[in-house]
Amino acid sequence: MLNIMAISLKGIFRDRIFQGIMGLAVLFLFIPSAASLSMRQVTELSITLSLSLISFIMLLLAVFLGATSIWKDIERRYTYSILSLPLSRTAYLLGRFLGIALFMLLTALFLGGVAMLAIKVASVLYPPARPVLWIAVLASILYGTLKYILLVAVSMLLATVSTSFFLPVFGTICTYLAGSITQQVYDYLHTPAAVKAISPIMKQAALFFYYLLPNLSAFDLKVNAIYALPLNASGLLMTALYFIVYTSVLLAAGAILLGRREMK
């Protein structure tokens, strides 16, 4: 499994994906200048733009790396030579996942460092009304990375049953969009207005999808980072446990499906 992880990581670097990320990182240099156009809350806007840019890059990586890793191996018939070795399909899937997850952590570390440099420059040039809570910025980047690693597990689960990359790509994007609003839908369902407007059957269906789909809003700590709000330690712990359990379930399901898939 560790060999598959190392091969996956080397393959990503060989495809020069990290070079493209370094090119996109140049955009962080313009964030202090762009944020200064607001004239007020320049530092807060710099944090917003920095975290949003990191999220956009990580979403692209999660969708396309997770969706194409297994499909590309099957399409190029690499899996036939790999699985002919004394290696289970579960170890192959976990190795691929861990390789992509490690690359995303390295990417988050690099982009986070550049983003914090841009935020520091903005805070020096335009001192904010409240000091920057750097621990909240770090937590926002870390938990955002966990969110996109979870999406990698979603895309790899879909890739185990798909014969093309369209289902994993668009399925992961749909999961991201739906998972980002599940908490808002859940909160609305428990309001007096929802009781009158939504039938019990529709409410039960919405609750079913609420528990089925990942609650990605739990990983969003941008508000804490932007407005220097204190972090909830118990909430962070629960979110981390949720990530471990949900990702483990996705990988276990993917391993079962890949084990039953016929390789022709």
Side-chain angles (χ1 to χ4, degrees), residues 28-101:
F28 285 99
L29 301 177
F30 300 97
I31 285 179
S33 299
S36 65
L37 298 177
S38 68
M39 302 301 293
R40 300 166 64 183
Q41 295 185 328
V42 176
T43 301
E44 289 82 351
L45 183 56
S46 297
I47 297 174
T48 303
L49 294 176
S50 298
L51 295 179
S52 298
L53 182 55
I54 292 176
S55 295
F56 175 72
I57 295 173
M58 297 298 283
L59 176 60
L60 291 179
L61 291 177
V63 171
F64 291 103
L65 289 181
T68 60
S69 59
I70 296 178
W71 171 82
K72 186 166 59 176
D73 284 351
I74 295 176
E75 187 70 14
R76 296 178 179 178
R77 299 183 180 274
Y78 290 165
T79 50
Y80 299 96
S81 57
I82 294 175
L83 297 178
S84 63
L85 301 173
L87 179 73
S88 66
R89 296 188 181 187
T90 300
Y92 164 74
L93 179 68
L94 291 178
R96 279 296 189 191
F97 171 78
L98 292 175
I100 296 173

Side-chain angles (χ1 to χ4, degrees), residues 217-240:
S217 60
F219 297 88
D220 192 357
L221 301 176
K222 288 182 181 179
V223 174
N224 299 78
I226 294 169
Y227 297 106
L229 300 178
L231 298 169
N232 186 338
S234 60
L236 294 178
L237 179 60
M238 290 298 295
T239 303

Side-chain angles (χ1 to χ4, degrees), residues 159-224:
T160 59
V161 298
S162 176
T163 56
S164 70
F165 67 93
F166 290 105
L167 175 61
V169 168
F170 293 106
T172 305
I173 293 174
C174 291
T175 302
Y176 169 76
L177 295 175
S180 299
I181 63 171
T182 52
Q183 188 61 49
Q184 290 87 334
V185 173
Y186 179 84
D187 293 338
Y188 171 73
L189 291 175
H190 290 79
T191 60
V195 175
K196 299 178 181 179
I198 300 178
S199 65
I201 296 177
M202 289 296 296
K203 182 178 180 179
Q204 292 301 318
L207 289 175
F208 170 76
F209 284 106
Y210 168 76
Y211 291 110
L212 177 65
L213 295 171
N215 185 359
L216 300 181
S217 60
F219 297 88
D220 192 357
L221 301 176
K222 288 182 181 179
V223 174
N224 299 78

